[in-house]
Amino acid sequence: MTSDTVEVPGARLHVELAGDGPPLLLISGGGGDAGMYADVVPLLTRTYTVITYDRRGNSRSPFTHPDASITPATQADDAVAVLGHHGLERAYVFGNSGSAIIALEMVIRHPGRLLGAVVHEAPLVQLLPADSAERREIEHIGRLGQDGHLMRAFAAFGAMTLPDPPRIFLSPTGQTVIAAGTQLMLAAGDLARRLTRREPDAMTRQLHNAELMLRRELPAFCFDYQPDLSALAATTAPWCLATGRDSVGKPYYTPAHVLSERLGIPCQEFPGGHVPYMQHPEEFTKTLTTILEGFAA
């Protein structure tokens, strides 16, 4: 695996590339980074050249301007810049959760750069009624983050993304306990790294990304963003929606099926829940490969 940096307006992106074959860009969801795909990269590189990166402002991709844009459109342009930096005219793209919205914007803005796009569990709750349970759940997490309860909001976010979360994740008291423990763990870990100079692991990086995700990305992606349905209906890019078989009733499941019905775009099924590449790497790889091969047929 090789790593590189790509300069984009307002940020410097950490990019990793491995394998040989048709290019496949994996975009991480809210709070995540390239490390989220660590379990599936070795499997996918048997067939594909796999490109992963830390999205702007996350982990090892610092902003170079404090007011840099984080909109889905800007981040779709980032993804194209990553491809261009490596001399790749077109690529397959997989986006999960918030990054599924980025993949959706690539379908709209950059169809000619796509061999095919898989839009997996985009939290497009703005497509649902204002009083829907799915939308209220996202709004609740957003309010916790905006009110300064970042780690409690992150615990609620974790509960939302797990198919069967432990009971402690489901109550306000339990989330408060988790938040306090997380803050102590982060403080201890930061001190240890100052002494040892070790790099933070993927989970620590994700926790440090929580503020950006909850205070800026969540409202920008889930409420400010409106997908251009006319552009999606007219795009020349091959693409599909996708959800997990264990995600029924989640805020990112229903919108995908609503959009599938409106546009007549297939909604494929992946194993597991919201992060199948972590829960079921072998099955995820097989499912994704089958879908991508279908685009090429």
Side-chain angles (χ1 to χ4, degrees):
M1 177 181 291
T2 61
S3 61
D4 201 356
T5 58
V6 176
E7 298 285 340
V8 293
R12 183 181 304 112
L13 306 180
H14 170 87
V15 183
E16 298 176 357
L17 185 145
D20 189 25
L24 168 59
L25 181 67
L26 305 176
I27 312 177
S28 59
D33 60 26
M36 299 292 286
Y37 293 109
D39 291 340
V40 296
V41 167
L43 304 176
L44 288 165
T45 51
R46 299 169 186 169
T47 306
Y48 301 99
T49 298
V50 179
I51 309 103
T52 55
Y53 67 103
D54 299 355
R55 292 191 295 102
R56 56 173 51 223
N58 288 282
S59 300
R60 298 156 293 188
S61 293
F63 289 124
T64 54
H65 191 285
D67 297 322
S69 170
I70 53 106
T71 65
T74 297
Q75 300 209 45
D77 293 347
D78 286 352
V80 169
V82 169
L83 298 180
H85 178 82
H86 292 94
L88 300 171
E89 183 62 29
R90 301 173 73 200
Y92 294 110
V93 172
F94 174 85
N96 164 254
S97 194
S99 73
I101 296 175
I102 297 170
L104 201 64
E105 272 296 287
M106 293 183 74
V107 171
I108 293 170
R109 295 170 62 84
H110 305 288
R113 306 302 297 269
L114 296 172
L115 294 170
V118 179
V119 178
H120 181 264
E121 299 201 337
L124 294 166
V125 293
Q126 60 271 52
L127 298 178
L128 305 179
D131 62 349
S132 68
E134 296 93 341
R135 185 162 180 155
R136 290 200 306 268
E137 184 171 5
I138 293 286
E139 289 174 340
H140 170 66
I141 293 171
R143 281 195 301 271
L144 287 174
Q146 295 297 330
D147 291 345
H149 305 294
L150 282 176
M151 288 301 107
R152 185 182 158 195
F154 195 82
F157 175 80
M160 178 186 70
T161 61
L162 293 172
D164 187 22
R167 186 174 299 178
I168 191 173
F169 277 85
L170 300 176
S171 71
T173 300
Q175 291 167 4
T176 300
V177 170
I178 292 169
T182 301
Q183 289 165 340
L184 288 173
M185 181 190 72
L186 283 174
D190 289 345
L191 176 60
R193 281 188 295 278
R194 282 198 293 270
L195 296 174
T196 64
R197 297 187 179 181
R198 291 181 180 175
E199 293 296 321
D201 60 20
M203 177 52 70
T204 301
R205 295 196 304 265
Q206 187 175 10
L207 289 168
H208 281 298
N209 293 336
E211 182 171 6
L212 175 63
M213 178 186 74
L214 293 165
R215 290 187 175 170
R216 294 189 63 192
E217 289 190 342
L218 187 148
F221 282 50
C222 293
F223 299 111
D224 297 343
Y225 175 76
Q226 294 291 334
D228 186 335
L229 301 187
S230 296
L232 286 171
T235 186
T236 57
W239 71 287
C240 71
L241 295 149
T243 54
R245 62 177 174 237
D246 298 333
S247 292
V248 177
K250 299 288 188 176
Y252 33 78
Y253 181 92
T254 304
H257 290 269
V258 168
L259 192 58
S260 174
E261 185 173 337
R262 286 189 187 180
L263 297 177
I265 296 295
C267 192
Q268 306 287 354
E269 183 178 87
F270 273 81
H274 197 49
V275 287
Y277 43 86
M278 300 177 73
Q279 297 166 333
H280 306 284
E282 293 276 359
E283 287 184 72
F284 169 84
T285 298
K286 292 176 183 177
T287 302
L288 180 59
T289 299
T290 298
I291 294 171
L292 300 185
E293 288 174 347
F295 289 143

